[in-house]
Amino acid sequence: MAEEAVLSYLEKNQEISDSGQFAAQRGIDHNEIVNVIKSLHGFRYVDAEDIKRETWVLTDEGKTYAAAGSPEVQLFLAIPPEGISREELQKKLEPPAFKIGCAQAAKNKWVEMGKLISRKVQHVDDRVKDLLLQIQEGKAISSEDIKALKARKLIIPQTWKGYSVKKGPNYAPKRKKVVTDLTRDNLQSGEWKGLEFKEYNYSAKGQPLEGGNLHPLLKVRYQLKKIFLSMGFEEMPTNNFVESSFWNFDTLFQPQQHPARDSHDTFFLKAPSTTKELPEDYVQRVKQVHESGGYGSRGYHYDWKREEANKNLLRTHTTAVSSRMLYLLAQKPFSPKKYFSIDRVFRNEAVDRTHLAEFHQIEGLVCDRGLTLCDLIGVLHDFFSRMGMTKLRFKPAYNPYTEPSMEIFSYHEGFKKWVEVGNSGMFRPEMLLPMGLPEDVRVIAWGLSLERPTMILYGIDNIRDLFGHKVDLGLIKKNSICRLGID
């Protein structure tokens, strides 16, 4: 109906000057007319030009006053000739109407505000309501009235959009049906000769291609892996999320009474709850160094329990993997090694904007004869400089399985302050010698989380926006490349 009205009108007239007036005169919804004009313009049946007009429309409050009257008139009509107390008048009106009505009626000098509220005039006209009704009907009012109604937030501006329409180069009184597909029947019957085919739009965009996207953590992990490999490190196998307490704690010379081994900090498994296989000779050496010391150590002087060591858990750090690798290295003729790992670990922590119960740990270690703390500091400077962190500081720290130990700080140019970026140290003899490594072999190691540098690089301040079920898929699809380690 709308398309027929537009085309038939243009057959006898040069132009539709205003689509809004055209729609109103014919009782057709303007949105329907607009859709038809857009469609006809696309096929060049008509040429259309935009029309924009600034109009005023009533707010919800304005619509209420247009229907029920302004608050000042409602208040005036609620006052009897003999007057009324404030409390009684307040009961007759809604709280907003009473508050606004009192202010406007007093401003207009319609009422006397005292203990008894009384009329000062006998009759008033509801000019506000009349003006609102005029706007509702599309009539023009003075700029002063517009300003007054706008100040009371009874009207707001609205941009009206329409079209002026003329005949286009392909104009016809009736739209021709264009064919989009050439079929076998068209060819066999010869019908194709009389058909009009829809033109191809070679500039039209196709459907966006959906492909896989790398998570920011994977991008940063890949770059860190390249840094380790460029420094000659080998990647350790980290496929065991489940570890025994023995490899996770005991081999690292971490006592069985240590708070980290409590269920408040560690996830223990219900099934299977214990491990079945441990190297017995090595277990005995670990037990001895815990109970009575050795290798120059006094030990912890407590009764070491095998059942505690057998408990299965979700590994709390990838150092459990390092202890396995060092033990395997000790079973062969010694050769220096450089190992690294980047994988997931689990801790029973309260979730907040900087902590999750699972995260990724980066770990690197160097095993060789005669290594010192100076070697560790040199390796750390080399490693972090490849990450773009050239300003480093070190602070003494304590770890059960490293001595000496150091926290690593880097100066962040964006934050203008020193930020902790990792932990480091030299593995203790009580950890290395029971494995069977030669006495002059030293192991330097360091670790940091994968999430912290990723959050800094991508400007994310809540870890739950980076990792977990609340991650926005838009972040995965639109994140920038990782320039870590790229000159």
Side-chain angles (χ1 to χ4, degrees):
M1 178 180 175
E3 182 174 309
E4 184 182 349
V6 171
L7 292 175
S8 61
Y9 182 85
L10 289 175
E11 187 178 9
K12 300 175 182 177
N13 300 274
Q14 291 295 319
E15 181 183 16
I16 297 173
S17 59
D18 189 311
S19 59
Q21 294 176 5
F22 182 83
Q25 290 167 2
R26 284 154 183 77
I28 304 173
D29 182 68
H30 184 244
N31 289 330
E32 188 178 349
I33 290 289
V34 166
N35 290 335
V36 165
I37 291 171
K38 287 180 178 178
S39 176
L40 293 172
H41 179 67
F43 289 97
R44 303 305 308 276
Y45 280 85
V46 301
D47 289 333
E49 292 186 7
D50 293 343
I51 300 174
K52 292 183 180 180
R53 283 199 298 269
E54 289 292 331
T55 60
W56 293 94
V57 294
L58 306 189
T59 62
D60 291 339
E61 188 179 359
K63 291 175 184 177
T64 302
Y65 297 166
S70 64
E72 53 266 39
V73 172
Q74 291 182 48
L75 181 130
F76 181 85
L77 296 176
I79 300 173
E82 66 276 12
I84 188 172
S85 68
R86 189 180 185 90
E87 291 75 16
E88 289 299 319
L89 181 58
Q90 198 166 357
K91 293 177 182 177
K92 290 187 174 186
L93 300 171
E94 293 292 329
F98 176 78
K99 182 179 178 181
I100 298 170
C102 284
Q104 292 296 329
K107 181 181 177 182
N108 296 339
K109 298 182 180 179
W110 291 352
V111 296
E112 183 73 41
M113 304 296 291
K115 282 189 176 182
L116 198 67
I117 300 176
S118 58
R119 297 181 180 181
K120 294 175 74 173
V121 295
Q122 295 306 312
H123 176 74
V124 296
D125 293 321
D126 198 343
R127 180 168 169 74
V128 171
K129 179 179 179 180
D130 293 340
L131 291 172
L132 292 172
L133 289 173
Q134 288 180 53
I135 290 174
Q136 210 167 33
E137 293 166 5
K139 296 178 181 178
I141 62 173
S142 70
S143 58
E144 289 185 2
D145 291 332
I146 288 286
K147 187 176 180 182
L149 294 176
K150 184 182 175 184
R152 293 182 64 174
K153 298 181 180 179
L154 302 180
I155 58 173
I156 54 173
Q158 186 179 70
T159 301
W160 180 89
K161 295 180 181 179
Y163 295 96
S164 65
V165 185
K166 294 180 180 179
K167 293 179 182 178
N170 298 335
Y171 172 78
K174 190 174 181 180
R175 191 199 291 251
K176 295 178 183 177
K177 186 177 181 181
V178 292
V179 179
T180 56
D181 295 311
L182 180 63
T183 66
R184 179 186 177 192
D185 292 339
N186 296 149
L187 294 171
Q188 287 180 336
S189 65
E191 184 185 5
W192 64 272
K193 297 176 182 178
L195 295 176
E196 183 174 342
F197 291 92
K198 182 179 179 181
E199 293 183 2
Y200 280 104
N201 182 1
Y202 292 102
S203 61
K205 292 182 178 180
Q207 288 290 331
L209 294 175
E210 289 290 340
N213 298 274
L214 287 176
H215 190 285
L217 281 172
L218 292 178
K219 292 184 177 182
V220 177
R221 174 178 176 165
Y222 175 72
Q223 291 302 127
L224 284 166
K225 183 175 179 178
K226 286 179 64 177
I227 290 172
F228 274 115
L229 293 175
S230 68
M231 294 174 67
F233 282 71
E234 299 176 38
E235 187 169 11
M236 296 185 282
T238 55
N239 52 316
N240 287 346
F241 285 178
V242 175
E243 271 291 2
S244 66
S245 294
F246 178 76
W247 290 109
N248 195 83
F249 294 123
D250 293 280
T251 61
L252 305 181
F253 195 56
Q254 194 159 337
Q256 294 183 340
Q257 303 92 340
H258 195 280
R261 302 182 67 154
D262 189 82
S263 60
H264 293 296
D265 294 292
T266 302
F267 292 110
F268 289 95
L269 267 65
K270 287 186 177 179
S273 60
T274 58
T275 186
K276 294 182 178 178
E277 293 183 5
L278 290 175
E280 291 301 327
D281 56 339
Y282 180 40
V283 170
Q284 292 304 314
R285 293 196 295 272
V286 168
K287 176 182 178 181
Q288 180 180 345
V289 78
H290 274 252
E291 289 185 341
S292 55
Y295 316 104
S297 170
R298 296 181 353 184
Y300 291 115
H301 294 281
Y302 72 98
D303 291 330
W304 186 87
K305 297 179 180 178
R306 177 65 180 266
E307 54 268 25
E308 284 293 325
N310 286 345
K311 288 181 179 178
N312 283 334
L313 48 80
L314 294 178
R315 67 180 178 214
T316 61
H317 46 196
T318 51
T319 317
V321 181
S322 302
S323 65
R324 281 181 175 271
M325 294 299 294
L326 290 172
Y327 173 74
L328 291 175
L329 183 64
Q331 309 315 303
K332 298 178 274 186
F334 178 75
S335 61
K337 289 288 183 181
K338 293 192 283 188
Y339 291 128
F340 81 94
S341 64
I342 308 172
D343 213 335
R344 197 173 301 186
V345 296
F346 309 84
R347 293 181 188 173
N348 192 1
E349 293 186 347
V351 175
D352 58 31
R353 59 190 296 274
T354 57
H355 295 87
L356 289 178
E358 54 180 311
F359 58 95
H360 296 77
Q361 183 176 331
I362 305 161
E363 184 161 337
L365 66 89
V366 180
C367 180
D368 202 351
R369 298 180 187 273
L371 293 175
T372 67
L373 192 63
C374 292
D375 295 303
L376 173 60
I377 292 173
V379 171
L380 291 176
H381 274 289
D382 186 11
F383 175 76
F384 283 100
S385 66
R386 296 175 190 238
M387 292 175 62
M389 303 180 192
T390 55
K391 297 179 181 178
L392 296 182
R393 280 182 179 175
F394 305 97
K395 176 184 174 183
Y398 168 76
N399 291 313
Y401 46 90
T402 58
E403 181 60 38
S405 307
M406 300 184 302
E407 291 175 349
I408 311 163
F409 292 82
S410 173
Y411 187 77
H412 194 285
E413 297 292 346
F415 298 156
K416 302 297 181 186
K417 65 177 183 179
W418 292 91
V419 178
E420 184 182 352
V421 293
N423 213 320
S424 65
M426 301 184 67
F427 284 150
R428 297 176 67 109
E430 296 97 326
M431 172 184 168
L432 300 178
L433 295 178
M435 293 177 176
L437 288 168
E439 290 188 8
D440 60 343
V441 167
R442 302 288 181 267
V443 178
I444 56 175
W446 70 98
L448 60 151
S449 78
L450 179 62
E451 282 75 8
R452 172 167 279 193
T454 305
M455 289 171 70
I456 293 173
L457 282 168
Y458 287 91
I460 298 169
D461 63 359
N462 192 326
I463 194 171
R464 289 168 290 194
D465 295 332
L466 176 69
F467 186 67
H469 66 285
K470 293 185 177 181
V471 171
D472 178 12
L473 290 178
L475 169 70
I476 313 302
K477 294 179 179 179
K478 297 179 182 178
N479 65 82
S480 59
I481 66 169
C482 172
R483 301 197 61 84
L484 189 68
I486 301 176
D487 294 329

